[in-house]
Amino acid sequence: MASKIKQVSAKACELTRFVAKNSSSFYKQTLEQNKQYIVEPSTVEKCNELSKQLFYTRLASIPGRYDAFWKEIDCVKNMLKNRQDLKVEHASIAALFGLECFAWFCAGEIAGRGFTFTGYYP
């Protein structure tokens, strides 16, 4: 067990050195690639203005997303009315979607507990 800890510790130190050595070049490269998104001059007022623009743009998109949501609900209702026309592919996709939602719920619960597993252990 002690040898495993030493191996993990050595790998962590190696990774730390790699990140320290290459992080500034990665940072500069990322800024260079995305310079069209950088607003000059970068002042507090400009940041506040951009955050307000983002907030109100998202707020303005709610009616469109609301309409799209109800269209999806109507589509599901229509599929449930015509169950006899439902193909196996559509049913399996719906089952996989439900399973994925459940899996994300379980992952969220585990993350919310601080990545601990609880329950009965015999």
Side-chain angles (χ1 to χ4, degrees):
M1 184 69 178
S3 65
K4 289 276 187 189
I5 292 174
K6 286 183 181 181
Q7 287 176 347
V8 170
S9 177
K11 289 286 186 184
C13 288
E14 183 181 330
L15 179 65
T16 303
R17 282 191 291 273
F18 176 78
V19 168
K21 179 181 169 187
N22 296 319
S23 62
S24 64
S25 64
F26 177 73
Y27 174 75
K28 289 176 185 175
Q29 179 185 2
T30 303
L31 282 180
E32 185 62 33
Q33 289 174 346
N34 297 298
K35 65 182 174 185
Q36 71 269 19
Y37 302 115
I38 298 174
V39 176
E40 292 294 337
S42 56
T43 61
V44 174
E45 292 82 17
K46 193 63 173 175
C47 290
N48 287 336
E49 179 186 347
L50 290 171
S51 67
K52 285 181 182 180
Q53 285 178 347
L54 175 64
F55 175 75
Y56 288 109
T57 301
R58 296 263 173 109
L59 195 63
S61 71
I62 288 176
R65 289 187 279 154
Y66 181 80
D67 293 339
F69 171 75
W70 285 111
K71 285 180 185 176
E72 288 288 330
I73 294 295
D74 290 339
C75 181
V76 170
K77 286 180 183 177
N78 190 22
M79 287 178 75
L80 288 175
K81 284 181 186 175
N82 301 321
R83 280 189 294 256
Q84 64 275 10
D85 297 336
L86 191 64
K87 295 180 181 177
V88 175
E89 293 87 12
H90 292 120
S92 61
I93 288 172
L96 284 173
F97 178 74
L99 185 65
E100 183 182 5
C101 289
F102 180 73
W104 278 111
F105 170 77
C106 291
E109 285 290 315
I110 292 168
R113 287 193 302 263
F115 295 99
T116 58
F117 294 96
T118 60
Y120 175 71
Y121 298 105

Coordinates of all heavy atoms in Angstrom, one line a residue, residues 47-78:
C47 N -17.5 45.3 -18.3 CA -17.9 44.0 -17.8 C -19.3 44.0 -17.3 O -20.1 43.0 -17.6 CB -16.9 43.5 -16.8 SG -15.3 43.1 -17.4
N48 N -19.7 45.0 -16.6 CA -21.1 45.1 -16.1 C -22.1 45.2 -17.3 O -23.1 44.6 -17.3 CB -21.2 46.3 -15.2 CG -20.6 46.1 -13.9 OD1 -20.4 45.0 -13.4 ND2 -20.2 47.2 -13.2
E49 N -21.7 46.0 -18.3 CA -22.6 46.1 -19.5 C -22.7 44.8 -20.2 O -23.9 44.4 -20.6 CB -22.0 47.1 -20.5 CG -22.8 47.3 -21.7 CD -22.1 48.2 -22.7 OE1 -21.2 48.9 -22.4 OE2 -22.6 48.2 -23.9
L50 N -21.6 44.0 -20.4 CA -21.7 42.7 -21.0 C -22.5 41.7 -20.2 O -23.3 40.9 -20.8 CB -20.3 42.2 -21.3 CG -19.5 42.9 -22.4 CD1 -18.1 42.5 -22.4 CD2 -20.2 42.8 -23.7
S51 N -22.4 41.8 -18.9 CA -23.1 40.8 -18.1 C -24.6 41.1 -18.1 O -25.5 40.2 -18.2 CB -22.7 40.8 -16.6 OG -22.9 42.1 -16.0
K52 N -25.0 42.4 -18.2 CA -26.4 42.8 -18.3 C -26.9 42.4 -19.7 O -28.1 41.9 -19.8 CB -26.6 44.3 -18.1 CG -26.5 44.7 -16.7 CD -26.7 46.2 -16.5 CE -26.6 46.6 -15.1 NZ -26.8 48.0 -14.9
Q53 N -26.1 42.6 -20.7 CA -26.5 42.1 -22.1 C -26.8 40.6 -22.1 O -27.8 40.2 -22.7 CB -25.5 42.5 -23.1 CG -25.4 44.0 -23.5 CD -24.3 44.3 -24.5 OE1 -23.4 43.5 -24.7 NE2 -24.3 45.5 -25.0
L54 N -25.9 39.9 -21.5 CA -26.1 38.4 -21.5 C -27.4 38.1 -20.7 O -28.2 37.2 -21.2 CB -24.9 37.7 -20.8 CG -25.0 36.2 -20.6 CD1 -25.1 35.5 -22.0 CD2 -23.8 35.7 -19.8
F55 N -27.6 38.7 -19.5 CA -28.7 38.4 -18.7 C -30.0 38.7 -19.5 O -30.9 37.8 -19.6 CB -28.7 39.2 -17.4 CG -29.9 39.0 -16.6 CD1 -30.2 37.8 -15.9 CD2 -30.9 40.0 -16.6 CE1 -31.3 37.7 -15.1 CE2 -32.0 39.9 -15.8 CZ -32.2 38.7 -15.1
Y56 N -30.1 39.9 -20.1 CA -31.4 40.2 -20.8 C -31.5 39.5 -22.1 O -32.7 39.3 -22.5 CB -31.4 41.8 -20.9 CG -31.7 42.4 -19.6 CD1 -30.7 43.2 -19.0 CD2 -32.9 42.3 -18.9 CE1 -31.0 43.8 -17.7 CE2 -33.2 42.8 -17.7 CZ -32.2 43.6 -17.1 OH -32.4 44.1 -15.9
T57 N -30.5 39.1 -22.7 CA -30.6 38.3 -23.9 C -31.2 36.9 -23.6 O -32.0 36.4 -24.3 CB -29.2 38.2 -24.6 OG1 -28.7 39.5 -25.0 CG2 -29.3 37.3 -25.9
R58 N -30.6 36.4 -22.5 CA -31.2 35.1 -22.0 C -32.6 35.2 -21.6 O -33.5 34.3 -21.9 CB -30.3 34.5 -20.9 CG -28.9 34.2 -21.2 CD -28.8 32.7 -21.5 NE -27.5 32.4 -22.1 CZ -26.6 31.8 -21.4 NH1 -26.8 31.3 -20.2 NH2 -25.4 31.5 -21.9
L59 N -32.9 36.3 -20.9 CA -34.3 36.6 -20.5 C -35.2 36.7 -21.7 O -36.4 36.2 -21.7 CB -34.3 37.8 -19.6 CG -35.6 38.1 -18.8 CD1 -35.8 37.0 -17.8 CD2 -35.5 39.4 -18.1
A60 N -34.8 37.4 -22.8 CA -35.6 37.5 -24.0 C -35.8 36.2 -24.7 O -36.7 36.1 -25.5 CB -34.9 38.6 -24.9
S61 N -34.9 35.2 -24.5 CA -35.1 34.0 -25.2 C -36.0 33.0 -24.6 O -36.4 32.0 -25.1 CB -33.7 33.3 -25.4 OG -33.3 32.8 -24.1
I62 N -36.5 33.4 -23.4 CA -37.5 32.5 -22.7 C -38.7 32.2 -23.4 O -39.1 31.0 -23.5 CB -37.8 33.0 -21.3 CG1 -36.5 32.9 -20.4 CG2 -38.9 32.3 -20.6 CD1 -36.6 33.5 -19.0
P63 N -39.4 33.2 -24.1 CA -40.6 32.9 -24.8 C -40.4 31.9 -25.9 O -41.2 30.9 -26.1 CB -41.1 34.2 -25.3 CG -40.5 35.2 -24.4 CD -39.2 34.6 -24.0
G64 N -39.3 32.0 -26.6 CA -39.0 31.0 -27.7 C -38.8 29.6 -27.2 O -39.3 28.6 -27.7
R65 N -38.1 29.5 -26.1 CA -37.8 28.2 -25.5 C -39.1 27.7 -24.9 O -39.3 26.4 -24.9 CB -36.7 28.3 -24.4 CG -35.4 28.5 -25.0 CD -34.3 28.5 -24.0 NE -34.2 29.8 -23.3 CZ -33.8 29.9 -22.1 NH1 -33.4 28.9 -21.4 NH2 -33.8 31.1 -21.5
Y66 N -40.0 28.5 -24.3 CA -41.2 28.1 -23.8 C -42.1 27.5 -24.9 O -42.7 26.4 -24.7 CB -41.9 29.3 -23.1 CG -43.3 29.0 -22.5 CD1 -43.3 28.5 -21.2 CD2 -44.4 29.4 -23.2 CE1 -44.5 28.2 -20.6 CE2 -45.7 29.1 -22.6 CZ -45.7 28.6 -21.3 OH -46.9 28.3 -20.7
D67 N -42.2 28.2 -26.0 CA -42.9 27.7 -27.2 C -42.4 26.3 -27.7 O -43.2 25.4 -28.0 CB -43.0 28.7 -28.3 CG -43.8 29.9 -27.9 OD1 -44.6 29.9 -27.0 OD2 -43.5 31.0 -28.6
A68 N -41.1 26.2 -27.7 CA -40.5 25.0 -28.2 C -40.8 23.8 -27.2 O -41.0 22.7 -27.6 CB -39.0 25.1 -28.3
F69 N -40.8 24.1 -25.9 CA -41.1 23.1 -24.9 C -42.5 22.6 -25.1 O -42.7 21.4 -25.1 CB -41.0 23.7 -23.5 CG -41.5 22.9 -22.4 CD1 -40.8 21.8 -22.0 CD2 -42.7 23.1 -21.8 CE1 -41.2 21.0 -21.0 CE2 -43.2 22.3 -20.8 CZ -42.5 21.2 -20.4
W70 N -43.5 23.5 -25.3 CA -44.9 23.1 -25.5 C -45.1 22.3 -26.8 O -45.9 21.4 -26.9 CB -45.8 24.2 -25.3 CG -46.0 24.6 -23.9 CD1 -45.5 25.7 -23.3 CD2 -46.5 23.8 -22.9 NE1 -45.8 25.7 -22.0 CE2 -46.4 24.5 -21.6 CE3 -47.1 22.5 -22.8 CZ2 -46.8 24.0 -20.4 CZ3 -47.5 22.0 -21.6 CH2 -47.4 22.7 -20.4
K71 N -44.3 22.6 -27.8 CA -44.3 21.9 -29.1 C -43.9 20.5 -28.8 O -44.4 19.5 -29.4 CB -43.5 22.5 -30.2 CG -44.2 23.8 -30.8 CD -43.3 24.4 -31.8 CE -43.8 25.7 -32.3 NZ -43.0 26.4 -33.3
E72 N -42.8 20.3 -28.1 CA -42.3 19.0 -27.7 C -43.3 18.2 -26.9 O -43.5 17.0 -27.2 CB -41.0 19.1 -26.9 CG -39.8 19.5 -27.7 CD -39.3 18.4 -28.7 OE1 -39.5 17.3 -28.4 OE2 -38.8 18.8 -29.8
I73 N -44.0 18.9 -26.0 CA -45.0 18.2 -25.2 C -46.2 17.7 -26.1 O -46.7 16.6 -25.9 CB -45.5 19.1 -24.0 CG1 -44.4 19.4 -23.0 CG2 -46.7 18.6 -23.4 CD1 -44.0 18.2 -22.3
D74 N -46.6 18.6 -27.0 CA -47.6 18.2 -27.9 C -47.2 17.0 -28.8 O -48.1 16.2 -29.1 CB -48.0 19.4 -28.8 CG -48.7 20.5 -28.0 OD1 -49.3 20.2 -27.0 OD2 -48.7 21.7 -28.5
C75 N -46.0 17.0 -29.2 CA -45.5 15.9 -30.0 C -45.6 14.6 -29.2 O -46.0 13.5 -29.7 CB -44.1 16.2 -30.5 SG -43.4 14.9 -31.5
V76 N -45.2 14.6 -27.9 CA -45.2 13.4 -27.0 C -46.7 13.0 -26.8 O -47.0 11.8 -26.9 CB -44.5 13.7 -25.7 CG1 -44.8 12.6 -24.7 CG2 -43.0 13.9 -25.9
K77 N -47.6 14.0 -26.6 CA -49.0 13.6 -26.4 C -49.5 13.0 -27.7 O -50.3 12.0 -27.6 CB -49.8 14.9 -26.2 CG -49.6 15.4 -24.8 CD -50.5 16.7 -24.6 CE -50.3 17.3 -23.3 NZ -51.1 18.6 -23.1
N78 N -49.1 13.5 -28.9 CA -49.6 12.9 -30.1 C -49.0 11.5 -30.3 O -49.8 10.6 -30.8 CB -49.1 13.8 -31.3 CG -49.7 13.4 -32.6 OD1 -50.8 12.8 -32.6 ND2 -49.1 13.7 -33.7

